[in-house]
Amino acid sequence: MKRWLSYHETYVFIVIVLFSAVIAAVNPSFLTLENLFDLLKSYAFLGILSVGVLFVLISGGIDISFTAVATVAMYVMAVLIIHYGGNIAIAFLIAATIGIALELINALIIYYFNIPAIITTIATLNIYYGLLTVFSGGKWIYGLPPWFREFADIRVLTLTNEAGVSYGISIVTVIWFVIMLAAWGVLRYTVLGRSIYAFGGNPGSAERIGINILRLQLFVYGVMGLMAGIAGVVQVLLVQTVAPNSIVGKELDVIAAVVLGGASLFGGTGSLLGTLLGVALIAVMSNGLTLMRVPSYWYDVFIGLIILFSVTISALRRRQRIGRMIIVEGEA
């Protein structure tokens, strides 16, 4: 028991259970399989982006531009498949290529000009979003190909409720969980994954033991770009339209989910399980506030409080860890 209580994820899980119990007491329809599947589908976009942000935060960096990257990727993808046709694999390939290219620009600027990541990515967010607005004229895109719309309706498991309405696990949810599984394997079982933790925990030591910092940053921001591209396509699958301003501003939700899951803004810590729980808590909170008919503007207040609380806990745990290291070194 003591071991479980030492994990940050345990406390997030307890909060989710308590929050769910309160919401279910107010509105019993919250704890239904149908609502759960809908939540998993609706939050696949946020969940996929959170995987990329987790890689960046573990490495000690930060990225604010990923929503602009995802917006550019999905807009260009939509324009190309409408004019030239294709299939769902080509749609993902186009968006992923654009996402990776734009995030690699972030990585190169941060490395070669030694500009803080937050400054770099705030600047590129405005550049990417501004250029998209200029060239697109802010026009929304409708009329996506039939094969694109049909892919969004695929379910890997279909059930029927008492009213005869079918529901189930969407292909979009499956894409999210496959990505989570692959990312977990990279972080846990590869030298590259351990190098990301090492660099985030202590960049100086990581460089001294021979870790190639440029390659590492290119990989981390490349993963962020890949996730932004995939998330962009998923967003279009969910809403079936493309709007240049539809997802810019969602950065706070994604970063809140990852930090809430235990990733530190100081780098070196974070897990896929924690990130999944962080996304789950954001989803439960948002869905719960809706079901309890709480005005929507309270949502931003809760998100802000969650970030503040999580960062405070993270800072206190970091201070305790450093304190224990000093005591051990002093005894030695």
Side-chain angles (χ1 to χ4, degrees):
M1 186 66 182
K2 187 176 179 180
R3 181 188 172 195
W4 286 104
L5 291 177
S6 67
Y7 293 118
H8 179 92
E9 290 84 348
T10 303
Y11 296 98
V12 180
F13 179 73
I14 291 172
V15 172
I16 291 173
V17 172
L18 293 176
F19 204 7
S20 299
V22 172
I23 298 169
V26 177
N27 191 331
S29 63
F30 174 75
L31 283 182
T32 61
L33 209 54
E34 192 173 358
N35 189 47
L36 173 64
F37 289 162
D38 284 344
L39 277 180
L40 289 173
K41 181 180 179 182
S42 301
Y43 279 82
F45 167 74
L46 190 146
I48 293 169
L49 283 177
S50 70
V51 173
V53 172
L54 175 67
F55 273 73
V56 174
L57 289 186
I58 291 175
S59 74
I62 192 164
D63 188 354
I64 308 297
S65 69
F66 57 86
T67 52
V69 172
T71 303
V72 173
M74 71 182 190
Y75 201 95
V76 175
M77 177 275 300
V79 170
L80 291 178
I81 64 172
I82 288 174
H83 283 84
Y84 300 103
N87 54 49
I88 193 65
I90 291 176
F92 275 109
L93 181 63
I94 293 170
T97 303
I98 294 170
I100 292 171
L102 294 181
E103 284 289 353
L104 289 183
I105 293 173
N106 285 339
L108 292 172
I109 293 174
I110 293 167
Y111 180 81
Y112 282 111
F113 296 98
N114 200 25
I115 301 173
I118 189 168
I119 302 297
T120 300
T121 55
I122 287 175
T124 53
L125 178 147
N126 286 284
I127 293 170
Y128 297 154
Y129 180 61
L131 287 174
L132 176 65
T133 305
V134 169
F135 286 107
S136 70
K139 294 179 181 175
W140 288 39
I141 296 177
Y142 304 93
L144 293 158
W147 53 263
F148 192 87
R149 294 195 298 271
E150 291 166 2
F151 184 81
D153 295 330
I154 294 176
R155 294 189 186 124
V156 296
L157 175 66
T158 302
L159 303 171
T160 305
N161 63 18
E162 295 176 352
V165 178
S166 62
Y167 64 97
I169 300 176
S170 168
I171 186 69
V172 170
T173 304
V174 175
I175 292 172
W176 172 24
F177 278 86
V178 168
I179 288 172
M180 292 278 290
L181 191 62
W184 174 75
V186 170
L187 288 175
R188 187 174 178 84
Y189 293 109
T190 68
V191 174
L192 191 56
R194 290 193 289 274
S195 298
I196 296 171
Y197 278 103
F199 179 66
N202 192 327
S205 298
E207 196 165 6
R208 282 195 293 275
I209 62 175
I211 293 176
N212 188 312
I213 306 304
L214 175 59
R215 288 183 185 175
L216 193 72
Q217 287 197 332
L218 287 173
F219 176 77
V220 167
Y221 283 91
V223 170
M224 182 69 258
L226 175 63
M227 295 303 113
I230 295 174
V233 178
V234 165
Q235 174 70 5
V236 182
L237 287 169
L238 291 173
V239 300
Q240 293 296 314
T241 58
V242 181
N245 59 353
S246 63
I247 58 175
V248 172
K250 294 286 186 185
E251 306 89 4
L252 198 60
D253 291 5
V254 181
I255 293 174
V258 180
V259 172
L260 189 61
S264 171
L265 293 175
F266 302 104
T269 59
S271 69
L272 263 305
L273 176 61
T275 300
L276 177 62
L277 291 172
V279 174
L281 183 51
I282 294 288
V284 167
M285 186 187 70
S286 176
N287 188 244
L289 292 177
T290 302
L291 293 176
M292 291 191 294
R293 299 180 181 179
V294 176
S296 59
Y297 45 79
W298 279 102
Y299 176 76
D300 293 333
V301 176
F302 278 104
I303 290 290
L305 289 173
I306 284 174
I307 292 179
L308 190 61
F309 178 75
S310 300
V311 171
T312 302
I313 295 296
S314 179
L316 290 174
R317 288 167 65 92
R318 180 183 174 86
R319 185 182 299 175
Q320 287 177 344
R321 190 166 59 248
I322 293 174
R324 285 197 297 268
M325 291 172 62
I326 293 173
I327 292 173
V328 170
E329 289 176 358
E331 290 175 347

